[in-house]
Structure formats: structure tokens, C-alpha cells
Amino acid sequence: MESRRDMDSRRDRKPFEEEQEELDERVVDITRVAKVVKGGRTFHFRVVAIVGDNKGQVGLGIGKARTVPDAIGKATERARRAMHTIPLEGTTIPHEVVGNCSGAKVLLRPATKGTGVIAGGGVRAVLEAAGVQDILSKSQGSANILNVAHATIDALRGLRDVEELARMRGKDPAEIQPFWK
């Protein structure tokens, strides 16, 4: 039996859709995958989705289902749950960083204001959803979209804020700040 307080709190709660602020959802890749069974092959769809708030939060999700809309729903839901906050320095990233995933390697470099997003495919989708507006990137190795997107997320997770780095080293943030700032 539920208590009165639990019922009141549930009644006041808004539906899940209303709680979510406006997020940028992008479907990066839709692939048909096959599973071989005794009677032949069963086909499913694998969807890679990127979700971001354009303010420094981004997540990647993978969804598999028999129909494309179901797979997209699963992928976007998993991407929402896997969102990470990344430090931004204005419209770019604070420092150069490299991310790896399997055979894919992604180099991200900060750029001056007005440069734009110099990236392609999965890298561009992740960076734009995260809210990065000026950046240079180079994707090396595998061109598999899933691995490139994972490598980009890995690179963004490796970013450190100047204040955080100064606190870790026990120094003044002005000492660590790059010379062009």
C-alpha cells in the first residue's frame, strides 16, 4: 500500500517528455544487420544517435530493433542517459586532444572564433550537438562511423578545464592558461 505522500508526489510530477529540455537529436547511422538462424536470416536495424543540448552536454546511443523507428527511439533514449558534460572555452575547446576507439583515431584542436566546425561525418554530428562552434579535427584510421563517433566522445571526455587542472596541480589558473588567452 502506498503512502499518501507518495501518491501526492506522483500526481505533481510532470510527464517525462515535459521534463526534458530541448535537446538536439541526430541520427548518424542506420545499418541493417543480420542474424543467421536455423530457418535463414533475421534482419534488424542498428541506429547510432547523438543527443546534445548545444551547451556542453553530449551523449551517444546505439539502438537495435526490427523496425527503424523503434531502433531510433532506443538509440536516442540511451544517448540521453549517457550524456556527459564537456568543458568549453567560449565557442571552442580548451586544448588539443586525441581520442581512440578500436581502429579509429580522432584529433580535435581548438580554433579561433569564426572558423566553424571543420569536421566530417560522425565527428561533426557529435561536436555540433555538444555546442562546439569553432574547431579543427582530423579523423585517422578506420572510417567506421560508429567507431569515429565513439572516438570523438572519448576525446571530449579527455578535456580538462583550466580551473580544474590548476586545482589538481595546486597552482594559480593564470600560470596554466595558454599564452594566447
Side-chain angles (χ1 to χ4, degrees):
M1 192 80 190
E2 291 186 62
S3 70
R4 183 89 175 142
R5 187 177 46 181
D6 290 339
M7 289 191 300
D8 286 343
S9 68
R10 192 172 323 133
R11 190 180 320 128
D12 295 337
R13 204 170 64 202
K14 295 175 190 153
F16 179 73
E17 298 302 320
E18 290 178 22
E19 284 181 19
Q20 288 291 333
E21 65 275 358
E22 194 59 38
L23 296 175
D24 185 7
E25 296 178 358
R26 296 166 187 244
V27 174
V28 178
D29 187 34
I30 299 176
T31 309
R32 190 181 77 169
V33 293
K35 175 182 176 185
V36 179
V37 292
K38 189 167 80 174
R41 295 185 185 97
T42 59
F43 294 105
H44 295 277
F45 293 94
R46 183 193 74 191
V47 173
V48 179
I50 308 292
V51 173
D53 66 352
N54 295 319
K55 296 175 193 159
Q57 282 197 320
V58 68
L60 181 138
I62 302 167
K64 271 190 200 171
R66 286 206 168 179
T67 63
V68 174
D70 291 343
I72 291 173
K74 285 182 182 182
T76 54
E77 184 58 39
R78 288 181 182 146
R80 279 190 181 141
R81 288 192 190 137
M83 286 180 74
H84 298 287
T85 304
I86 60 162
L88 292 177
E89 195 74 38
T91 60
T92 189
I93 57 176
H95 57 85
E96 188 175 305
V97 67
V98 177
N100 293 304
C101 178
S102 296
K105 183 178 175 183
V106 173
L107 166 72
L108 301 177
R109 217 176 240 173
T112 58
K113 193 167 181 68
T115 304
V117 178
I118 310 297
V123 180
R124 175 179 286 274
V126 172
L127 294 173
E128 286 180 349
V132 180
Q133 295 170 359
D134 301 304
I135 194 163
L136 302 169
S137 73
K138 178 66 182 161
S139 179
Q140 299 171 329
S142 172
N144 180 319
I145 295 175
L146 176 60
N147 288 340
V148 168
H150 269 297
T152 308
I153 294 284
D154 179 51
L156 292 175
R157 290 179 75 184
L159 288 173
R160 297 284 174 253
D161 197 19
V162 173
E163 285 81 24
E164 177 189 343
L165 207 56
R167 221 179 10 259
M168 283 172 42
R169 295 182 186 176
K171 292 188 174 187
D172 185 45
E175 292 178 46
I176 298 175
Q177 197 83 3
F179 67 90
W180 61 82
K181 300 281 185 210

